[in-house]
Amino acid sequence: KEGGGVSAQNKGSWSAFLKSIASFSGDLSSLTAPPFILSSTSLVEFSSYWAEHPSIFVAPAHETDPKKRALLVLKWFLSTLKQQYASRSEKFGNEKKPLNPFLGELFIGKWEDAAGTTELVSEQVSHHPPVTAYHIQNKEHGVYLEGYNAQKASFSTTINVKQIGHAVFSIPAYNETFLITLPNLHIEGLVFGSPFVELNDKTYITSSSGYTAKIDYSGKGWLSGSKNSFVATLYPTGKERDTLYTVKGRWTKSFEIFEGSKKGSSIEVYDAESNPITPLKVAPLEEQDSMESRRAWRSVAAGIGSGDMDVVGAEKAKIEVRQRELRQKEREEGRTWERRYFSLSENDKILKELGPPIGVTPEEDKTGGVWRYDEAKASALTLKSETPLFLTPTSTMTKQTTKGSVQ
Ligand code: CLR
């Protein structure tokens, strides 16, 4: 079915795009996509998908039984998938190509609702390769999430994306940490011009209290199965056969939680469609810092919005020139860009303790190291926040490199 697919007017650029991706590999940001598939949202914003249901995010902090706590963390993780992987398709009718964040780009906001205040900071900690790090906290409930991620793409039949990095969920009151791996994905619907994400393979959540969840993703196959499906089991770490809970369903629709290995009726049904999100609050553009994503990209976003690719190209070039100037200056002064909120962790304790049971090894070569939230840096920033933290880009525009298609 081609309904909702590429329009007659865009057919040419889409087939040129399909031909070009057949030969690309590795860095998704180098993909040159036709204008109609470009999004004006930067990837640095995607970190907010982790906590758009703050009450589900903080719920584990109020459960005293560690195995039920592990189940609540699994439930929260599963509840984030719809936002993470289907929200663009649901909003626009298809997946889009996000803006590629520049080094040091920030996205800062908070959710205010029944769960109190939940705060987000997201920072682009590397540009080559692109790596985004984030930290989400709800201090009232004592729940913290941090992580970093990169993507490695390859092409075979379609775009296949491997996610590198992980997330760490922690509840200090129980001295408890959960290590979370990220799903690999591929793009479906490419030939029809209406791309969307499907998840594949398996991911894990393992906790310092000795529980592990394995989530097995599947989609619509040739003969059976439905879109966006999964089966998850929770078991004592190392004893996969002693299933404590089973969760089964579709991450875009609803899923059911069963005791043990799915005998009898479910103990809970989660309906993703009837759980509205809490919108993130972000400072108005005028009050934002020049390194904050929406402010930095505002002119590019305006160009994408009005379909004026000359504006998009020129405004992107300004950002790129400014970035090259900054890197040049750093080289001359023999220093590197100072990340605002994150630092590299050597011999990371969390990975050392929780990595082995689920086969996680830090792929530092692909992420430039293991990135952790740096409390000291963050509090120093709040102290200084009276004075402007960043300089506004002053670079003059130089020649435009791309026309029509933009990277
Ligand atoms: C980023 C990290 C988030 C989860 C997530 C969701 C969708 C992914 C995105 C990550 C990375 C970029 C991505 C996107 C879907 C499509 C897009 C892979 C992993 C690529 C760059 C777009 C390719 C162009 C098509 C639309 C044709 O937590």
Side-chain angles (χ1 to χ4, degrees):
K1 188 177 75 63
E2 293 186 53
V6 62
S7 68
Q9 170 200 4
N10 290 327
K11 274 222 162 74
S13 65
W14 188 250
S15 56
F17 171 63
L18 291 183
K19 275 176 203 136
S20 77
I21 59 176
S23 59
F24 106 107
S25 94
D27 189 353
L28 276 169
S29 60
S30 70
L31 210 78
T32 300
F36 72 92
I37 209 85
L38 297 181
S39 155
S40 54
T41 304
S42 162
L43 257 190
V44 80
E45 291 202 20
F46 284 38
S47 306
S48 65
Y49 293 141
W50 286 108
E52 293 195 291
H53 297 111
S55 302
I56 306 179
F57 175 64
V58 302
H62 303 286
E63 172 56 64
T64 50
D65 178 349
K67 73 170 190 289
K68 289 189 183 153
R69 213 152 53 225
L71 178 64
L72 286 172
V73 171
L74 172 62
K75 178 187 162 190
W76 154 76
F77 172 81
L78 295 168
S79 77
T80 71
L81 297 176
K82 183 181 167 78
Q83 289 304 115
Q84 299 259 19
Y85 301 104
S87 55
R88 281 90 42 205
S89 309
E90 286 174 357
K91 189 166 167 204
F92 305 113
N94 54 264
E95 187 55 82
K96 291 196 163 204
K97 186 182 186 262
L99 294 168
N100 182 31
F102 54 84
L103 181 59
E105 187 176 325
L106 299 170
F107 186 61
I108 296 165
K110 59 179 180 224
W111 295 271
E112 275 162 344
D113 67 0
T117 304
T118 308
E119 301 164 86
L120 163 78
V121 297
S122 178
E123 177 173 2
Q124 192 69 12
V125 290
S126 170
H127 186 63
H128 287 300
V131 183
T132 310
Y134 53 87
H135 181 260
I136 298 174
Q137 61 181 6
N138 186 304
K139 286 187 181 160
E140 293 149 77
H141 293 267
V143 179
Y144 301 80
L145 178 78
E146 66 171 297
Y148 62 95
N149 47 262
Q151 297 88 38
K152 186 151 174 42
S154 62
F155 185 90
S156 105
T157 348
T158 184
I159 301 174
N160 300 290
V161 179
K162 181 177 184 256
Q163 289 205 72
I164 302 153
H166 57 264
V168 177
F169 183 105
S170 50
I171 313 174
Y174 297 113
N175 195 16
E176 189 169 50
T177 309
F178 295 77
L179 178 65
I180 302 168
T181 63
L182 311 170
N184 295 332
L185 56 98
H186 63 272
I187 305 290
E188 298 212 349
L190 261 189
V191 283
F192 305 119
S194 47
F196 67 91
V197 168
E198 185 59 279
L199 302 178
N200 40 264
D201 309 326
K202 296 172 178 59
T203 65
Y204 295 88
I205 304 175
T206 195
S207 79
S208 56
S209 304
Y211 296 96
T212 297
K214 178 174 98 176
I215 307 135
D216 203 330
Y217 304 90
S218 61
K220 184 160 174 49
W222 282 99
L223 299 167
S224 63
S226 20
K227 255 169 100 167
N228 317 138
S229 299
F230 70 88
V231 180
T233 55
L234 182 75
Y235 47 88
T237 305
K239 297 185 188 138
E240 209 180 318
R241 293 203 176 158
D242 300 352
T243 309
L244 299 167
Y245 296 101
T246 303
V247 190
K248 200 174 181 307
R250 296 174 67 185
W251 46 268
T252 35
K253 304 278 183 210
S254 72
F255 53 78
E256 288 182 83
I257 304 174
F258 301 87
E259 237 151 30
S261 36
K262 197 183 172 301
K263 286 183 217 89
S265 51
S266 60
I267 54 170
E268 191 185 331
V269 180
Y270 175 80
D271 183 0
E273 288 177 313
S274 65
N275 265 281
I277 63 160
T278 301
L280 182 79
K281 287 187 183 147
V282 177
L285 290 187
E286 317 76 62
E287 285 165 30
Q288 283 181 25
D289 192 274
S290 63
M291 294 299 273
E292 285 186 68
S293 184
R294 290 187 189 172
R295 177 163 185 153
W297 290 104
R298 71 201 289 186
S299 306
V300 174
I304 292 173
S306 64
D308 188 335
M309 287 304 121
D310 290 343
V311 169
V312 174
E315 293 298 333
K316 276 195 173 183
K318 283 190 199 170
I319 293 178
E320 282 158 16
V321 168
R322 173 68 181 154
Q323 286 294 305
R324 275 198 291 272
E325 286 172 359
L326 286 171
R327 299 296 88 79
Q328 175 64 30
K329 197 152 178 283
E330 287 157 17
R331 267 196 301 277
E332 284 164 14
E333 294 170 4
R335 56 183 176 88
T336 52
W337 175 260
E338 184 66 38
R339 278 71 175 168
R340 305 285 162 180
Y341 296 97
F342 298 88
S343 292
L344 288 170
S345 162
E346 309 275 334
N347 275 320
D348 188 75
K349 273 212 221 112
I350 298 168
L351 286 189
K352 215 181 241 170
E353 186 197 336
L354 296 176
I358 55 173
V360 174
T361 48
E363 295 186 82
E364 299 177 12
D365 50 324
K366 297 186 188 87
T367 57
V370 174
W371 296 95
R372 292 284 179 244
Y373 185 64
D374 191 328
E375 197 69 62
K377 275 186 180 177
S379 40
L381 276 180
T382 0
L383 289 176
K384 280 198 301 185
S385 67
E386 288 298 293
T387 50
L389 295 171
F390 313 102
L391 297 169
T392 308
T394 49
S395 73
T396 45
M397 215 202 91
T398 53
K399 90 166 189 304
Q400 189 182 325
T401 44
T402 38
K403 247 203 156 128
S405 283
V406 180
Q407 282 200 338

